Amino acid sequence: MNLTKHWASVLDDYVIDLAWSPDGTQLAAASASGPVSIFKAHDGAKLHELPGHENGTNCLAWRPTNQKPEISIQKSAEPPLTSDLRPLTSGFTLATGGQDGKAKLWDTAAGQHTATAELGSAWVEHLDWRPDGSILAASAGRDLVFLNADASLRHRFKPAPKTLSAIAWQPKGGCLAAAYFGGVCLWDADDFIAQKEFAYGNGIHALVWSPDSKWLVSGNQDPSVHLWVPDTDLELNMSGYEGKVKELSYDHTSRWLATGGGKDACLWDCAGAGPEGRDPLMFPHDTKVCAVAFQHSHGVLASASQDGVLMLWSPERKQPLRATVKMPSPATKLCWSPNDEQLAIGSEKGAVYVLKCTD
Amino acid sequence: MSNDAPIPVTVLTGFLGAGKTTLLNRILTEQHGKKLAVIENEFGEVGVDNQLVIQSDEELFEMNNGCICCSVRGDLIRILGRLMKRKDRLDGILIETTGLADPGPVAQTFFTDDEMRAKFRIDGIITVVDTKHILQHLGDSPEAQKQIAFADVLILNKTDLVSPADLDRLEARIHKMNSAAKIIRAQNANVPLEAVLNVGGFNLSRATELNPAFLEPEYPFEWAGAYPLPIGTHELVIGHCHHDEHEHEEGHECTCGHDHAHGEHQHEEHAHDHDEGEAHDHDHCHHHHGNPDELDVVVMPVKSLDEKDLVTARDAAVLTFSDWENKVKDGDTLTPGGTLHRLLLKDGHGHYKLQIPHEGHFLVFEGCGEDPLHIHVAGDTVKPVWQKDFQHTHSHEDAVSSVGISEPGELDGKKLNDWIGKLLKEKGADIYRMKGVLAVRGSTKRLVFQGVHMLFDAKFDREWAGAPRTNTLVFIGKNLDRAALNESFKACLS
């Protein structure tokens, strides 16, 4: 497998969040200090630099649309003549959250700030769009809100017992999982009632659903990962990590759960009854793993470690390691383009790399 | 600039109104050229331009197992986690806590969380004490006691609002609770920055700066007096007797048989020496500790009143005090030598026979110095020709105290390990801080260690070289049993 540098750019500070537009034509990158840059996926040209949030931006999320991703990028070295003439895709909405306690919406085609939701004085730390794009869930401190697509308030939930540390929409869209120290609550998308509440007696740093909506997984302070099957109330706790687990990613088949929490990318086999009693696959790095990301509809896992090393793995191959590159600064975030052909990497020193990945 | 050294974190504790915010603002305004981030409690009022100030709500992560040693501060993990996400390194973090905060989970956060441990180091816990109001807090607030117990630096603030004598008493009391902390007096939090930043309170190598002078020797008895006695059986009386009430018309407020205010009265040399008469009047006015109807007494013959002989007798008494006690009922006989007599009193009174085998000087050691003690020879009261108060083994007022151990010799590594393991398992919740420098047999290097509750950090640092191999350690905690700690530690000597 070949990884080649497609383009790179530099933000003014730590790349705190990174995401591709639904059609894969734009890449949004938030700097920890505040500004949000919108790059053209094709050549890295900076389309806009949005001011983001005062005192710093924490997170960003593109509003999903039904538009199909651009199926393939140009295989030839020469860009097509028409590329610069083609009108930019319009109608994309980017949501950002920041330390000013606000969630903001932006029209990235125009580079315009379109709406603001003021959540309070606490940092807006988590944003997640319902997969159909109808609701933006946002959390700030102990508060959770559902916003409409125009940032107007749809529902404000009662404050959680402790600060909300992660939120994740169920891929089917029926509920939002919201985690805090002490448990996870599943909030119904339509009735705003708690469908289920799972107690967990420790800090939770991350949540992920398997794409088939069967498994809900938390990465924990204790350190462990905890798996729930909300439909049957089955719970599994997988421990043995060196440190707290903040990195989680599921492959598109819902079989492999990749986790950080140590010097290995640790993969649990969630097929059937789940990982209990099965040894995980351990893909080793030399230093602590700081990011993991599976492709959207293919099977390659990207994992990055504190020494700046990035590796690609195919879990089901006999020789799973597919490629290794080393970057000058550790990755903060790994993000596959919608067509899985490009990998965007944010770094601690502010660099944004886009690598092409070819067989 | 890239720099992977952990960022120092300074924790400011103290009750509301003690002067934390004043100190914080002082640090921020005086600290030129350093990029600091301040995490303040939500009622804080820090406002200094160009500094990063983050409000926090002190979110405690308490574990289901109920172990307080596992509690960490979730808000710090979250906020510091976000503060790490910047290209330019911060030079330091200041955490201001509310008056009700327990410093334990704050410190534990930097021990137990892998990321916090890698990116930050806790430099010191600075506790600001409002000298005017602290006494009332010490009485009714376990948090106030903990904040003093956890401190590396104690700032006695607002000293202009209390009298020098009160201040001395307060300092003595606080020093007894935490004998390892540096105590600084201040008005309006006017302390030099170097006294609060980079104090190295949790730095293993600097645990060796533990000043043995701070670890005043402490004894299992509080008072000793030397009596010249003839051969024969005399009367030892505890408590007030009607016939000698006149002795107490000397102006003492407290119901105490010893003559404290007189010139022959001596003290152990202290690092913090204060007006003796005053401090001791005070000490002896406390309520009786332990069982009020028991008094431990040891009577030791002493060759002469030379310092050397007194010390020999004192050390023999220390050993005897750790022995099994021999209960003595009213009217029974006690004898000099290596027996710990536990006198059983009735309403604080008791009459015993003291059998003296030969004429000479005898030292009488009292476990609690406030029980009036008299010796009658043929009906006459014998006055002590020498007497001395000793540093209390247990504090009268405060559940929190320090136990310092200073012991020459080498330790057996295995025994030491077992001892520490057992101690922390059983007493970890009550041990707030500990640090020390140890000599372990088989190693030419000093073993330095420190810990918070059950969390423990140890390493071999530099060579002993020519220095005498000795062990110095201090425990600060609640309801510490000094005798048991000393004894169990000594059992680790090889």
Side-chain angles (χ1 to χ4, degrees), chain B residues 22-89:
Chain B
T22 311
L23 178 62
L24 199 51
N25 278 321
R26 191 176 281 274
I27 294 170
L28 292 177
T29 47
E30 285 184 26
Q31 188 75 31
H32 293 298
K34 283 202 176 185
K35 184 70 180 167
L36 300 173
V38 180
I39 300 174
E40 61 166 0
N41 66 70
E42 49 193 345
F43 311 109
E45 292 175 348
V46 173
V48 177
D49 290 346
N50 300 320
Q51 298 289 2
L52 208 49
V53 179
I54 299 147
Q55 304 267 328
S56 144
D57 54 358
E58 307 201 334
E59 204 163 87
L60 202 59
F61 282 8
E62 289 165 298
M63 299 306 144
N64 275 349
N65 60 15
C67 173
I68 61 158
C69 312
C70 297
S71 296
V72 294
R73 281 276 297 275
D75 60 316
L76 295 180
I77 292 175
R78 192 168 52 84
I79 291 168
L80 290 170
R82 177 62 179 83
L83 282 176
M84 281 171 1
K85 294 179 178 174
R86 49 188 295 130
K87 193 167 70 174
D88 300 319
R89 189 177 177 272

Side-chain angles (χ1 to χ4, degrees), chain A residues 89-251:
Chain A
T89 317
S90 61
F92 283 124
T93 300
L94 179 71
T96 59
Q99 294 185 240
D100 53 4
K102 294 170 183 164
K104 293 183 179 178
L105 298 185
W106 311 82
D107 173 344
T108 61
Q112 292 293 318
H113 174 206
T114 56
T116 299
E118 301 205 11
L119 273 67
S121 60
W123 297 345
V124 176
E125 289 186 284
H126 308 284
L127 292 174
D128 199 22
W129 288 94
R130 192 179 184 193
D132 68 0
S134 62
I135 300 174
L136 174 66
S139 79
R142 301 195 290 135
D143 290 320
L144 173 68
V145 295
F146 280 179
L147 303 174
N148 294 310
D150 62 357
S152 60
L153 185 69
R154 179 181 286 226
H155 186 75
R156 181 179 280 272
F157 291 84
K158 71 175 189 327
K162 299 260 180 177
T163 298
L164 290 163
S165 53
I167 59 173
W169 278 100
Q170 182 200 44
K172 281 194 235 162
C175 64
L176 176 92
Y180 48 89
F181 176 87
V184 182
C185 189
L186 303 188
W187 294 106
D188 191 276
D190 302 313
D191 300 337
F192 316 130
I193 57 163
Q195 292 180 348
K196 298 232 169 173
E197 204 154 356
F198 300 115
Y200 189 72
N202 211 298
I204 294 176
H205 290 289
L207 284 177
V208 69
W209 288 88
S210 60
D212 61 5
S213 297
K214 176 182 173 186
W215 298 96
L216 170 65
V217 182
S218 66
N220 309 321
Q221 175 79 19
D222 32 15
S224 70
V225 293
H226 201 81
L227 294 88
W228 288 272
V229 178
D231 285 347
T232 63
D233 290 344
L234 173 78
E235 285 186 42
L236 303 174
N237 190 264
M238 313 312 285
S239 57
Y241 288 92
E242 286 169 52
K244 60 186 171 190
V245 184
K246 299 199 294 183
E247 306 81 15
L248 299 173
S249 180
Y250 255 106
D251 85 317

Side-chain angles (χ1 to χ4, degrees), chain B residues 211-287:
Chain B
N211 184 354
F214 277 129
L215 307 177
E216 299 160 31
E218 302 194 34
Y219 297 91
F221 38 78
E222 292 184 348
W223 180 86
Y227 296 85
L229 296 173
I231 187 166
T233 300
H234 314 301
E235 200 185 10
L236 188 141
V237 182
I238 304 298
H240 302 287
C241 311
H242 298 298
H243 67 262
D244 61 13
E245 238 170 13
H246 64 276
E247 284 193 11
H248 299 288
E249 291 165 7
E250 295 168 4
H252 286 297
E253 290 172 54
C254 49
T255 56
C256 184
H258 309 311
D259 230 342
H260 297 298
H262 291 187
E264 73 266 22
H265 193 78
Q266 290 182 29
H267 280 277
E268 284 290 311
E269 204 66 52
H270 288 190
H272 298 259
D273 225 339
H274 304 302
D275 185 309
E276 296 180 355
E278 193 158 344
H280 280 263
D281 270 355
H282 179 73
D283 282 348
H284 282 268
C285 287
H286 302 146
H287 298 295

Side-chain angles (χ1 to χ4, degrees), chain B residues 54 102 104 110 155 298 313 382 425 452 464:
Chain B
I54 299 147
D102 178 353
F110 297 93
I155 295 172
V298 166
V382 184
K425 194 168 159 233
V452 171
W464 282 100

